[in-house]
Amino acid sequence: MGHMKLFGSSGIRGIANKEITPELALKVGLVLGSRKKTAVIGRDPRVSAPMIEHALIAGLTATGCAVTEIGLVSTPTLAYATREYECGVMVTASHNPSEYVGIKLWNPDGMAFDSAQQEEIEKAIEDEDFSMVPWNLIGKFEEDGSAIRAHMNMIKKLVEGSSLKVVLDCGCGAGGTISPYLLQELGCEVITLNAQPDGHFPARNPEPNDENLSMLKKAVVDFGADLGIAHDGDADRMMAVDEKGNFVSGDEMLAIFGLYECNGKKGTVVVPVDTSMMVDDSLKGSEIVRTRVGDVYVAEGIKQCSAIYGGEPSGSWIFPKISYCPDGIYAAAKLVEIVKKKKLSELREELPRYATKRGAFPCANDKKAEFMGKIKAKLEPLGKVLDIDGIRVEMNNGWVLVRPSGTEAKVRITAEARENVDEIFEMAEKIAKEALK
């Protein structure tokens, strides 16, 4: 079955009309509809999203599945709406550039389809294992405009109001349909940037990282705001800027939310293998469990460990008491509640920090497995090894991760240390280069 691999670390994703075609979407719909009686479907603002959504709806209804379409919504809004259906379908490529599109499938508990469910769908597409129903049993189709309000109301019940001044950069993504209104209803003074959904993403690249948020950093300072908040294309991610206009790193955000969610309780927190030990050292009483990189794996880990909280430094924050879906909308509201009590720059200053060094070098995709085997043998004597996704070695002074890229012909090295990070990095680099010979 290996030649197919439709699903990557975050659903099915690729360039519209090249990798992700209406034909593929139709098949996904036919396969899913043959297995589920009801589905809810939504989309982000991508130019290609309505085309893919229509093909999915045709496939789903052709097999007798009843479909409810909720329109242009954020991914967490769709995931929350799924609680009333057998499955949810989101047409999105999340933080990828505008030419990409994708399909992400959801369970009623807000958990994305896990590896086993994804494989079942892939195999069924390959085997064309689906059946269409006679004309009089075609699934009924309806539109429902209440999903955004339902998601907002759920969050308003769980989050305190606040009168902070917030600059919100929706990046022309789906967050513009919900975040500005939610924060306003919570009592904030909201200044929006790029709040008009536009699939060409004219303002900035949808990924809410430091280099893409220069406009937000400037606006926070110019408006004298208490904080800045940014979303990606489908608003499952949320990143922040403090009142001084500094980008808050993903590891810092993980720690800040972790401190708030654990609140002194001894619980489990789930993070991917590339997460800073800042999180471990901030959450002393908690057990930190590491998973493969990818929000689906973090969510699976949270479920398995009954964790209090988890997330990824790339901007996905998962609060299992509401959903297993990373919810950038809830996270934005929660962050405003946290910052009401203490400035974001002060929260950051209280966190421990360490030097980090990152690098990458070329490695052909077909050589990756052999290369990682060699490296593992050489790294094992150096410390405690975790090999769920690349090789992570924990030493007294810090850790190093050697991990093949999921998308490119590269191997990445990340090192973090309490002191002398160069030493750890160079040692790993040397071992890696020897293994490549």
Side-chain angles (χ1 to χ4, degrees), residues 236-266:
D236 59 347
R237 293 185 175 188
M238 188 255 2
M239 291 307 265
V241 168
D242 72 16
E243 77 283 2
K244 297 176 181 172
N246 298 313
F247 179 75
V248 184
S249 78
D251 291 306
E252 290 173 323
M253 288 294 314
L254 261 179
I256 289 167
F257 278 133
L259 283 164
Y260 197 84
E261 291 302 304
C262 295
N263 195 9
K265 298 193 290 283
K266 286 195 186 331

Side-chain angles (χ1 to χ4, degrees), residues 332-405:
K334 205 71 199 164
L335 184 63
V336 170
E337 180 186 302
I338 295 171
V339 172
K340 185 169 80 167
K341 300 183 178 72
K342 188 178 275 188
K343 287 182 173 165
L344 193 44
S345 65
E346 289 172 16
L347 289 164
R348 294 178 67 202
E349 277 160 20
E350 290 167 8
L351 300 170
R353 51 195 73 245
Y354 313 106
T356 306
K357 191 164 178 176
R358 291 189 171 84
F361 51 89
C363 178
N365 287 330
D366 56 1
K367 292 272 189 291
K368 281 178 179 172
E370 178 197 353
F371 165 72
M372 291 309 290
K374 281 188 193 166
I375 270 208
K376 186 182 173 191
K378 292 201 164 146
L379 288 174
E380 270 181 328
L382 301 175
K384 186 176 140 203
V385 169
L386 187 64
D387 63 355
I388 40 170
D389 189 357
I391 312 287
R392 180 184 163 114
V393 188
E394 289 191 30
M395 296 163 266
N396 295 338
N397 179 31
W399 57 274
V400 63
L401 172 70
V402 182
R403 182 174 172 264
S405 161

Side-chain angles (χ1 to χ4, degrees), residues 44 69 100 166 182 220 327 358 369 388 426 436:
D44 76 9
E69 198 249 8
Y100 285 80
V166 183
L182 173 66
V220 168
D327 192 330
R358 291 189 171 84
I388 40 170
E426 281 156 19
L436 269 177

